Amino acid sequence: INVGGTMYRLPYRLAARYPKTRMGRLATCTDHSKKVELCDDYIVQRNEFFFDRDPQFSTTYSTSTVFVRTGVLSIKGELCPRNFIEEINYWGVRIKNSQRCCRISFEEKQDELNEQLKIQTQLLAEMETEENETLFQGMAFGPARRQLWNLMEKPFSSVAAKLMGVASSMFVLVSLVAMTLNTVEEMQYKTASGQPTGRFYGEHVETACITFFTLEYLLRLASTPSLKRFGAGVLTTVDLVAILPHYLQMILECFEDKDVHLYPGDLQTVARVGKVGQVLRIMRLMRIFRILKLARHSTGLRAFGFTLRQCYQQVGCLLLFICVGIFMFSAMVYTVERDVHNTNFTSIPQAWWWATVSISTVGYGDMFPETNLGRVLALACISFGIILNGMPISVLYNKFSDYYAKLKSHEYTATGKKARGKVRFVRRAAKRLAECCEAEPAALPAPCPGL
């Protein structure tokens, strides 16, 4: 047997013991034409069957030879699991013929490889644009929509696109600052009696930011070639959540004014207006989600969100353990502290807050046990929280670092080859200055030879 240039000798009687393998079929087959179909070439003078396989995988055939001789398949751990499976399937050997300990280790390695490939695919999808530029071909205003899409979605495609990305980030920051100042009493309009009206001096800034966000969303909506994929995008949902609360607030404020004007003094109307006011406060609170718009231009935020999506099982287990600890320690400390005079542990739900603060190792001190046994339970609760909080940190941090490095590497590879759209004003100015300095000596008159 000649496998990629490596010679092997195999007796017919051994190969015939496993007729389902390729070597067994080659040994038991009597038709010469069928033998030639099982291999790539046959040399009659030397009775040599040639198989055109990669020489680096010739060790896989040696494992098949060992299987034919001993009946046990040995697994080569240094080979790629996918290539190993492909090779042994070519020779007609099954992985079930290996020993159980080796097979378990091999399957774990194979599952780990499949998980890495899945994560790699998702990471590439995270960095790739939502639509391919070829989708714009044949569409109405295709070239214009493609240029508009690149302007809005690819900040490194041109200088204008990069400036657009910087402007979007700046508007997000200005909007967050305006929302923060809106809660300061000195920055609000006041009535004649000195009471705050809820109106903010910088409302025109808020209006300008919302106008920019709305225009940005509409331009993306008009330029996308696939409305379905555009609507299913996470960042699209974030953009929509960033602008909807403002318009809902405007509508509710209209209803609030209308109700007060039409039914003054009516108790039902006053209650309804109060509920509208509560909804308005919720709408104002939802504006904080605008900060998530920074994820469109931040690799770190995308890596953090990707880490949470990939580690949802570990995070779920952590939350489960925290809930178990809260219920367990709150019940125990309530049983111990319930008979203490003027105790705060009047019920198990009251003790939930103490257990939560203790497990998180925050320790506000508003509730604390007074008995010695209660203090021992508090020490156990805090120790449990320290151990519990330290368990997932290494896993989450390692995964986040890995995902962030891969996203950053892919981003650098995608944008660094062509270096498109890089604003290098300082470098250009230095180059111009150097050119001017080189041109000045040539413009001066030549010195006199006699001097």
Side-chain angles (χ1 to χ4, degrees), residues 155-188:
F156 295 98
S157 61
S158 63
V159 176
K162 192 165 187 176
L163 293 177
M164 186 68 184
V166 173
S168 179
S169 301
M170 290 299 298
F171 270 100
V172 172
L173 296 178
V174 170
S175 174
L176 293 176
V177 172
M179 183 194 68
T180 305
L181 295 178
N182 189 19
T183 60
V184 179
E185 185 176 353
E186 290 77 6
M187 299 295 294
Q188 297 178 359

Side-chain angles (χ1 to χ4, degrees), residues 120-136:
Q120 186 69 20
T121 303
Q122 294 177 353
L123 279 171
L124 292 177
E126 189 77 13
M127 287 300 300
E128 291 177 353
T129 55
E130 296 184 2
E131 283 83 19
N132 196 340
E133 291 188 359
T134 57
L135 297 177
F136 291 95

